[in-house]
Amino acid sequence: MLTHIHVLATTLFTVLLLIVHPHLARAVETPSTYGKEFYACFPNNDGTAYQKDSNSVLKLYIATYTSPVAQIDIDYTLNGILHTSKHVVYKDSILTFDVPITMEISNSSTNELKSIHIRSDENITVYGLSHKVFSSDAFLCYPVTALDTMYTVLSSRNEIFGNVIGNSGNRYSGFVIIGTEDGTTCKIVPSCPLRYPIAKAHDTVSIAINKGQTRYINASILNRYDVSSSIIMSSKPVAVYSMHERTFLPDTAKTFDFLIEQTPPITRLSTKTVLVPHVSPVKPPLPQPRTYARIAAYFDSTSIFINGKYDTLLHSGNFIQFYVDSALVVTSDKPILVGQYQESSGLGVVQFGDKRNGDPFMAFIPPVDQFMSTYTVISPTLQDFTEHWINITTRKEGIGRVAIDNALIPDSLFKPVYDSSYYYARVNVIAGVHRLQSDTVFGIEMYGYGVWDSYGYIGGMKTERLIEKIMDKSPIEVTSVFLCNSATINLQDKGEFSSGLDSVYITDSENIIADTVDGYKGSKQAHISVRLKDLHKDGSVQFQVIDVAGNTIQSKTDLKGFTVSSTANNPYLINSTYTLPIKIEYSNAGKFTQMVKASLKSNTVISISPEYVNTTLVSSPNSRNTIPIFITSNSIGDFYDTLQIWDECDRMIETPIHAIINPNRYHGELFCNLPIEAESTTGVYVSANTFQTLSISGKLQVYSLQGNNIMTIDVVAPAKHSLNELSSGLYMYTFTSEQYSQKGLILIAH
């Protein structure tokens, strides 16, 4: 049962209401359809431009949001003359501004200066009403801050009277574009052939428009074409008004009406809308006009679901239409424009002189994401409208918490919306200003009826930009720029509809100091700066990045430390001033391949083999390698040097080397296990600076430790040769014959 609420608010009632329901006093949200600058227009209503009937009016209704007073400037150009007026509007009241009827837009062949520019020093909301005899509709204005560059539209089919092309009574399906900046280019992809500018269906046509100019685009009258689902793309933000000069709904109806709504940009729309049927203006047994909906797609491959069940796949430039006989939920996977229409009341047999309330109107229903918590609206006070309704949609928890003019809506009025968490109420109100508020969000549609007439509009909506949250499917891109001991991890949210970064978390780290950049929230890129705590260990950092659309990545970045180490078995005890190579071991304990070079700090007595000098050495992860070291001196004693190993970042390790040269102290195992002063069972002896063979003849060759041949003797056994002509030191020798070979070291001491 529908209830008619009449509210006579008093100060005492208001105080009592806020005591019992204090949450109503906390509704401080600022809706986005409240703003400080608007562009309105009034397209041709009833196909008769500049109709002078006394009942024909164009009105703007302006209300404040929370400010007690707002100063308003309204500008428009008429017959080449700029008209400016100043006004004041107070809280809980509405300013009514009458727009000259000659501001109607009927010329579609060129741009006109037919927009009305509204400015305020405080946040306001603006509604419009175009009313003629038996032909009316209302609309919500969107502030300039909510406008954008991507639109689709809804309308209805051309009306061709008597099936006569060119009949002056024919009514057009169309839309109006208003420029908000000079030098704006609009590309239009019409869903049907256009009258002006001339274009075929689905061909792209461009128009140029400047600030404040209007351009009326309508369908070709060569058939019952419909501009619904046409696409508008602009180089700068524009305002778009969907409209029809006057239409029969359905085609078999006997009465028709004007349609208009300012179109929200697709960037502010979403994927979930609750539709509530209108209260019928006609009582049985007369035929009942029904509520129906249209859905227009901006993007290809848009899936539509009704009450959770898949319904159809729409592509850009397509729309579907269906009846809304009971409250239902429409969902999609991409943003959609949802329009709700009221059918004509002139159904069945209509006789001259019949009077029935109602006729077509159109309202664009906001998605649930854009519901608000406070609305100031008007049910027009024109005497032609005799009944006024508000459809209210809220979640279950909103029941008992929504008030109209400080009176809570009874719980009994709320009914469930199919199998969902939403409920709706349809409330009959009186003409005049109404304020709706709650401590939770809800949506409203305003509408009303008169004899063969109607109006409908939404009371407001948030205009948060949602398209990126919905369309951003691109993964966050992570790249790293590595420097010595540090790295910059770059995070980028790419793609046409990237939503921007929302949060960055360091989830784990090892041997890392990490810093994130402040102020990244909502931006397309950010970075994490990391550096090693200990330069001689590898580091790693794990992090999670979430964008505004909810896309999440978890990633890990490893940082290369200088993980090479070396060891020396000091001291090296050498029984000579000349040695064979000593091998110094170095290893890589990290997980990265290390490219290193080696040198000795002094490089005098102790030296590196020439092939290792200025050569890049490759040390694989978890590998062990050696560097050969030589010791060369003409004296005995203790000798020191430092082995230096460094990488391309000049990170260095140093290993001290200590060698003791003393002929009286040696360890043969240091010299590759070659015997010194060896004795053989075959009768070949090397000792006391002497070479002796008892029975084997052959060739004796003596070499320096550098491999230079310094002595060759042909020996005929038995023989004994003195080696005193050699200087003190250690030498290598070989003795070879046809049947025998021996090699070793000769230590010469004088």
Side-chain angles (χ1 to χ4, degrees):
M1 179 178 179
L2 302 174
T3 300
H4 191 165
I5 296 181
H6 288 242
V7 180
L8 298 175
T10 64
T11 303
L12 177 61
F13 179 84
T14 302
V15 171
L16 290 174
L17 178 69
L18 295 179
I19 291 173
V20 178
H21 300 281
H23 50 266
L24 295 179
R26 299 195 298 269
V28 294
E29 175 187 317
T30 302
S32 290
T33 45
Y34 288 93
K36 295 183 178 180
E37 184 181 15
F38 301 79
Y39 283 93
C41 72
F42 290 90
N44 188 28
N45 177 354
D46 194 28
T48 308
Y50 318 135
Q51 183 178 343
K52 297 297 193 297
D53 189 289
S54 60
N55 288 323
S56 300
V57 292
L58 308 178
K59 290 184 177 291
L60 292 175
Y61 300 105
I62 301 173
T64 67
Y65 177 40
T66 57
S67 301
V69 62
Q71 307 291 329
I72 312 295
D73 291 331
I74 301 177
D75 304 332
Y76 62 89
T77 299
L78 186 60
N79 298 324
I81 300 173
L82 177 64
H83 296 262
T84 300
S85 57
K86 295 184 178 296
H87 308 269
V88 177
V89 61
Y90 298 95
K91 187 178 180 181
D92 296 328
S93 65
I94 281 189
L95 167 69
T96 301
F97 179 78
D98 290 311
V99 177
I101 196 70
T102 49
M103 286 296 291
E104 270 195 334
I105 302 168
S106 59
N107 186 351
S108 62
S109 62
T110 187
N111 293 355
E112 296 184 286
L113 279 172
K114 287 292 186 75
S115 68
I116 301 97
H117 191 198
I118 305 106
R119 291 164 294 148
S120 172
D121 65 340
E122 300 289 347
N123 282 330
I124 58 173
T125 187
V126 179
Y127 308 105
L129 173 69
S130 176
H131 171 64
K132 294 184 180 180
V133 176
F134 305 144
S135 186
S136 304
D137 203 1
F139 57 88
L140 165 73
C141 281
Y142 290 79
V144 168
T145 53
L147 304 181
D148 218 311
T149 60
M150 302 165 60
Y151 293 86
T152 186
V153 296
L154 285 172
S155 181
S156 185
R157 295 196 299 179
N158 286 340
E159 300 298 346
I160 304 176
F161 281 83
N163 292 318
V164 177
I165 303 299
N167 190 315
S168 61
N170 292 341
R171 310 296 193 265
Y172 291 101
S173 171
F175 55 91
V176 176
I177 301 173
I178 305 176
T180 64
E181 297 181 35
D182 288 339
T184 299
T185 299
C186 296
K187 293 183 178 180
I188 302 166
V189 184
S191 59
C192 68
L194 297 182
R195 180 188 183 199
Y196 292 113
I198 298 173
K200 297 179 181 179
H202 311 301
D203 284 353
T204 300
V205 61
S206 296
I207 63 167
I209 196 167
N210 290 323
K211 183 176 181 178
Q213 289 184 334
T214 57
R215 184 61 181 268
Y216 179 24
I217 310 293
N218 51 24
S220 169
I221 202 63
L222 296 179
N223 206 326
R224 297 201 64 190
Y225 293 123
D226 185 346
V227 299
S228 290
S229 72
S230 295
I231 301 297
I232 300 104
M233 300 167 286
S234 59
S235 60
K236 299 174 183 178
V238 294
V240 175
Y241 284 77
S242 298
M243 50 77 60
H244 195 293
E245 293 180 344
R246 205 172 184 189
T247 185
F248 295 93
L249 298 177
D251 296 341
T252 56
K254 309 301 190 300
T255 55
F256 56 147
D257 210 336
F258 174 64
L259 306 179
I260 186 171
E261 272 280 55
Q262 183 170 353
T263 310
I266 201 71
T267 54
R268 317 292 176 179
L269 296 175
S270 190
T271 60
K272 189 173 190 177
T273 306
V274 175
L275 297 178
V276 177
H278 304 130
V279 175
S280 174
V282 177
K283 309 307 178 189
L286 292 172
Q288 298 293 294
R290 299 162 72 183
T291 303
Y292 75 86
R294 279 188 171 188
I295 298 173
Y298 185 94
F299 298 101
D300 285 334
S301 301
T302 299
S303 297
I304 306 298
F305 302 81
I306 298 177
N307 287 337
K309 296 181 179 179
Y310 176 78
D311 185 82
T312 191
L313 186 70
L314 289 179
H315 295 290
S316 179
N318 295 154
F319 70 90
I320 59 169
Q321 178 176 311
F322 53 91
Y323 280 109
V324 183
D325 293 325
S326 59
L328 54 84
V329 179
V330 174
T331 54
S332 60
D333 62 346
K334 298 180 179 69
I336 52 175
L337 176 64
V338 181
Q340 187 158 286
Y341 297 71
Q342 179 64 27
E343 280 190 334
S344 302
S345 292
L347 302 176
V349 177
V350 179
Q351 297 179 352
F352 183 78
D354 282 354
K355 292 183 178 180
R356 302 179 194 173
N357 269 11
D359 246 352
F361 67 82
M362 175 178 69
F364 293 155
I365 308 301
V368 297
D369 310 59
Q370 303 286 35
F371 284 176
M372 304 195 304
S373 61
T374 303
Y375 302 84
T376 300
V377 294
I378 187 168
S379 298
T381 55
L382 300 180
Q383 62 181 7
D384 289 352
F385 298 116
T386 57
E387 59 176 309
H388 306 274
W389 295 90
I390 306 178
N391 283 3
I392 298 165
T393 304
T394 185
R395 285 188 173 274
K396 185 176 182 179
E397 56 266 27
I399 297 174
R401 296 161 66 180
V402 180
I404 301 179
D405 303 326
N406 295 322
L408 285 173
I409 300 172
D411 294 4
S412 60
L413 285 186
F414 284 93
K415 309 297 180 186
V417 178
Y418 188 64
D419 184 17
S420 75
S421 59
Y422 291 91
Y423 282 70
Y424 73 95
R426 301 185 294 187
V427 181
N428 189 202
V429 296
I430 61 174
V433 179
H434 302 288
R435 186 169 179 85
L436 293 87
Q437 60 188 115
S438 176
D439 64 344
T440 187
V441 295
F442 60 99
I444 66 171
E445 180 190 10
M446 309 291 298
Y447 59 100
Y449 305 115
V451 175
W452 303 122
D453 206 356
S454 67
Y455 71 89
Y457 68 97
I458 65 166
M461 61 179 272
K462 294 179 186 175
T463 54
E464 179 186 354
R465 187 179 173 94
L466 299 176
I467 191 167
E468 286 81 10
K469 292 183 179 180
I470 300 166
M471 299 294 291
D472 182 4
K473 306 299 182 184
S474 302
I476 299 164
E477 183 177 291
V478 179
T479 58
S480 298
V481 177
F482 293 96
L483 302 173
C484 295
N485 309 320
S486 65
T488 299
I489 304 170
N490 296 307
L491 312 172
Q492 287 187 297
D493 195 19
K494 291 185 173 182
E496 182 181 1
F497 299 110
S498 59
S499 58
L501 301 172
D502 181 77
S503 54
V504 179
Y505 302 101
I506 305 298
T507 57
D508 194 13
S509 65
E510 182 179 351
N511 192 36
I512 285 290
I513 299 172
D515 300 308
T516 57
V517 177
D518 293 332
Y520 59 81
K521 192 174 182 68
S523 67
K524 305 297 183 184
Q525 59 184 12
H527 66 266
I528 306 171
S529 298
V530 296
R531 60 188 186 277
L532 293 170
K533 290 180 181 178
D534 184 344
L535 305 187
H536 295 282
K537 294 181 180 179
D538 292 331
S540 66
V541 59
Q542 297 183 51
F543 52 92
Q544 177 178 276
V545 187
I546 307 173
D547 66 14
V548 175
N551 297 312
T552 302
I553 64 160
Q554 296 190 16
S555 187
K556 179 181 179 182
T557 295
D558 293 316
L559 201 58
K560 179 180 177 181
F562 186 45
T563 55
V564 172
S565 62
S566 67
T567 56
N569 296 321
N570 292 316
Y572 291 94
L573 304 178
I574 302 166
N575 199 40
S576 170
T577 55
Y578 301 96
T579 71
L580 291 176
I582 300 169
K583 294 184 178 179
I584 305 296
E585 183 180 273
Y586 67 97
S587 61
N588 177 9
K591 52 190 171 186
F592 293 94
T593 297
Q594 301 281 347
M595 311 296 288
V596 300
K597 292 184 178 181
S599 67
L600 288 166
K601 185 177 287 187
S602 299
N603 197 31
T604 53
V605 172
I606 304 174
S607 62
I608 294 177
S609 182
E611 63 266 26
Y612 285 82
V613 177
N614 294 321
T615 299
T616 298
L617 308 176
V618 178
S619 181
S620 301
N622 300 312
S623 66
R624 294 179 180 273
N625 309 88
T626 58
I627 297 175
I629 302 296
F630 290 91
I631 300 171
T632 305
S633 176
N634 292 323
S635 60
I636 64 175
D638 289 68
F639 297 92
Y640 299 90
D641 209 330
T642 301
L643 175 64
Q644 297 175 319
I645 301 176
W646 71 94
D647 67 359
E648 66 275 12
C649 294
D650 291 327
R651 298 178 293 192
M652 180 182 290
I653 58 168
E654 294 186 329
T655 304
I657 299 175
H658 178 198
I660 301 174
I661 300 178
N662 185 342
N664 297 319
R665 301 169 60 193
Y666 72 89
H667 295 277
E669 65 270 20
L670 296 178
F671 304 106
C672 303
N673 296 317
L674 293 176
I676 301 176
E677 300 185 355
E679 184 173 329
S680 174
T681 58
T682 58
V684 177
Y685 305 91
V686 181
S687 64
N689 297 1
T690 301
F691 176 83
Q692 182 177 359
T693 177
L694 298 179
S695 59
I696 300 174
S697 299
K699 180 179 288 185
L700 173 68
Q701 291 181 300
V702 181
Y703 301 88
S704 69
L705 293 178
Q706 284 74 33
N708 299 318
N709 186 293
I710 56 177
M711 177 181 290
T712 300
I713 302 173
D714 290 321
V715 179
V716 179
K720 184 176 182 179
H721 292 277
S722 173
L723 302 177
N724 285 328
E725 63 185 272
L726 297 173
S727 301
S728 296
L730 189 65
Y731 298 87
M732 297 183 294
Y733 77 91
T734 61
F735 178 70
T736 57
S737 69
E738 291 182 0
Q739 299 86 15
Y740 178 77
S741 175
Q742 179 176 315
K743 61 182 177 180
L745 298 177
I746 303 174
L747 182 62
I748 305 298
H750 295 293

